[in-house]
Amino acid sequence: MKKHNRLMSKGIPIALLLTVFFLTAGFAFAQTTVLRVGNLVDPAAGTAAKNQIILVKDGKIAEVGPNVNIPAGAEVIDLTNAWVMPGLMDAHTHITLDELDMSSGLDVMFLRESSAMRALRGLRTAQDILHVGFTAVRDVGNDANYAAVDIRDAIRKGWFIGPTVLTTGKIIAPFGGQTHRLPPEQGRFWLYEYIDADTVDEVRKAVRQNIYYGADAIKLVSDNSAFYYSEEEIRAAAEEAHAAGLAVSVHVMGGEAARNVILGGADSVEHGFDLSDELLQLMKEKGTWLVGTEFPQAHLEKLYPAEMKAQTKEEAAKYVDRLKRAFKIGVKMAFGTDSVSNLPGKNRGDMMLDYLDMWDAAGVPPAATLKAMTINAAELLRIEKSRGSIAKGMAADIIATPANPLENIQALRQVSFVMKDGKVVKPKK
Ligand SMILES: [Zn+2]
């Protein structure tokens, strides 16, 4: 009690000190930063404006244009030799999952690592991703019992620097998640990563469970088994999620299962590797997004056993063809990678940028690819009012490259400057 009283008697000076500290900290954060920009890329229009100034205050873009007054005492960053654009986004990531080897299977990952270890893995991955220029990502599950929710919250609290993380919580799937024929004696240990939902009511309940535990979006896996979701089950998920302001993404490859996803009103088809032109046309009509996750062949080779090498070549060619057809038909597309393996010397950020090769191979113009990586992804993620473009009032998520990404999208592999919510996280050399 005595000790407690002593602390209490010092209460006022401590409170004063804290006030002074927070006022000072607040003042430091209110510091204005000015970016002098040689070429400001507008991904919506696919154009670049010369000699622009961006004024950043309190983490947001306060002004942008050719004739912005530079306030006295502002920190000025020289990007006059660079191409400046909004931070990149990936609509399909699994930040807590990597080093995956499909010859041992996805299930091994659930047993091998605790939720805490998976969260640490995810935090490291999130930071690698930010460093190469991705300022927002959507984690679409396989996150070890909501570990991505904790990563998101820790970054939001300012404990760690990282990208904006949106998470879907546990993946909702028909019985068994993405496991296959586990012995019944083992029990349903997939429930660490999945929610079994096999009726309209179970789907509704699963969506509510995810919202309760902090999901920003909903993810279903439809056709990973011989059975798949009906149109009614998809509609139930969409109704329940939309009522709470969340988008629904569904892992589905093609055929009748994909038709159910599109007609049921899901917001996005994830993967869609077997989509016919007819289904792509239906997606266009319904306004369904495609998050294509076209794995490069080198990634597939790393992911699957050696004896499948010939098959990986065919698979990658099929993905390029589907991407080409989707672009030609005019389906709305958001960039998504699903990268979960690691090639020697490459971190997750580098692996994600490898997907640019697939967009190039499909003949998608650089401006359209950049759009898929910025404003399109922001729209699908429902954050387009605060992120995804460089305009007054938007969050200051800004990156720069030495070369013009509208001419060659591979310029994005050389991101030389990253600002996240107004803080420089990768200073220009
Ligand atoms: Zn995935």
Side-chain angles (χ1 to χ4, degrees):
M1 271 320 273
K2 233 178 175 177
K3 200 177 174 190
H4 182 243
N5 285 340
R6 260 209 315 275
L7 275 173
M8 288 296 282
S9 68
K10 285 187 181 168
I12 291 168
I14 286 170
L16 264 174
L17 260 173
L18 281 174
T19 310
V20 171
F21 170 77
F22 283 118
L23 278 175
T24 318
F27 177 76
F29 191 62
Q31 157 99 46
T32 306
T33 308
V34 168
L35 308 181
R36 284 184 173 280
V37 175
N39 307 277
L40 181 60
V41 178
D42 176 0
T47 56
K50 291 223 166 289
N51 303 321
Q52 301 286 304
I53 291 168
I54 305 173
L55 195 67
V56 175
K57 233 182 204 174
D58 297 333
K60 291 206 167 84
I61 296 166
E63 302 250 14
V64 55
N67 301 311
V68 174
N69 281 332
I70 298 180
E75 182 200 3
V76 178
I77 297 172
D78 181 11
L79 299 171
T80 49
N81 293 325
W83 298 78
V84 173
M85 66 212 86
L88 308 175
M89 296 187 187
D90 186 328
H92 189 120
T93 52
H94 303 276
I95 55 173
T96 72
L97 194 65
D98 61 8
E99 295 180 295
L100 196 64
D101 177 354
M102 291 308 276
S103 48
S104 54
L106 193 60
D107 357 311
V108 174
M109 194 82 188
F110 314 157
L111 289 176
R112 208 173 49 194
E113 279 187 3
S114 67
S115 188
M117 190 61 183
R118 293 279 295 280
L120 291 169
R121 214 177 244 291
L123 183 60
R124 182 203 58 184
T125 298
Q127 294 181 335
D128 287 344
I129 288 171
L130 179 61
H131 198 72
V132 301
F134 286 89
T135 54
V137 292
R138 183 177 62 169
D139 185 275
V140 286
N142 288 125
D143 75 333
N145 216 14
Y146 300 100
V149 171
D150 294 330
I151 297 166
R152 177 199 66 195
D153 291 349
I155 292 171
R156 269 191 202 163
K157 281 173 192 279
W159 294 355
F160 304 98
I161 297 237
T164 296
V165 174
L166 302 174
T167 161
T168 62
K170 280 192 187 180
I171 295 172
I172 301 167
F175 192 86
Q178 285 175 280
T179 63
H180 294 282
R181 296 286 311 274
L182 293 175
E185 293 85 346
Q186 299 299 341
R188 297 189 292 157
F189 70 73
W190 60 80
L191 295 180
Y192 189 45
E193 305 256 347
Y194 298 90
I195 302 174
D196 285 341
D198 292 275
T199 63
V200 161
D201 289 345
E202 284 180 7
V203 168
R204 280 193 192 277
K205 187 169 184 179
V207 170
R208 290 176 185 181
Q209 181 179 323
N210 273 330
I211 296 170
Y212 176 87
Y213 288 118
D216 303 291
I218 296 299
K219 161 87 177 291
L220 282 74
V221 162
S222 178
D223 62 348
N224 205 73
S225 302
F227 38 85
Y228 53 84
Y229 279 132
S230 67
E231 194 184 318
E232 288 66 34
E233 285 163 331
I234 297 291
R235 187 167 296 115
E239 279 175 9
E240 202 62 45
H242 292 166
L246 275 57
V248 173
S249 57
V250 188
H251 162 125
V252 69
M253 294 305 161
E256 192 57 29
R259 186 181 304 277
N260 291 348
V261 169
I262 302 161
L263 293 176
D267 297 81
S268 63
V269 163
E270 311 285 313
H271 315 303
F273 295 141
D274 299 319
L275 287 169
S276 62
D277 282 358
E278 190 222 333
L279 286 171
L280 288 167
Q281 192 66 44
L282 188 62
M283 286 174 69
K284 187 188 175 185
E285 280 164 31
K286 296 277 173 195
T288 316
W289 290 91
L290 175 63
V291 182
T293 70
E294 295 83 5
F295 287 75
Q297 194 199 339
H299 292 208
L300 292 172
E301 272 183 35
K302 175 75 182 162
L303 200 54
Y304 290 98
E307 60 269 24
M308 286 176 71
K309 190 170 175 173
Q311 216 173 313
T312 61
K313 197 176 173 187
E314 273 171 41
E315 276 293 300
K318 184 174 96 174
Y319 302 167
V320 168
D321 174 66
R322 204 275 286 105
L323 180 52
K324 195 184 277 184
R325 288 185 291 113
F327 179 70
K328 200 172 152 205
I329 287 170
V331 178
K332 292 196 292 184
M333 295 198 289
F335 187 77
T337 60
D338 201 26
S339 179
V340 284
S341 57
N342 304 68
L343 286 165
K346 289 190 175 191
N347 70 29
R348 176 67 67 84
D350 306 321
M351 297 287 286
M352 282 155 68
L353 291 168
D354 283 351
Y355 284 67
L356 296 174
D357 295 353
M358 301 298 273
W359 288 65
D360 268 345
V364 179
T369 306
L370 188 62
K371 201 173 165 191
M373 299 174 90
T374 52
I375 49 160
N376 279 13
E379 197 185 326
L380 172 61
L381 270 48
R382 302 190 172 198
I383 54 172
E384 79 279 11
K385 290 200 174 81
S386 56
R387 299 176 196 278
S389 49
I390 294 185
K392 190 173 173 170
M394 302 294 281
D397 289 357
I398 300 169
I399 63 166
T401 53
N404 183 0
L406 296 173
E407 269 171 19
N408 182 356
I409 200 67
Q410 301 287 345
L412 297 181
R413 287 180 184 268
Q414 312 291 333
V415 166
S416 53
F417 170 85
V418 179
M419 173 179 267
K420 174 68 191 142
D421 285 318
K423 284 180 196 150
V424 177
V425 295
K426 183 176 187 174
K428 191 170 180 290
K429 278 181 206 144

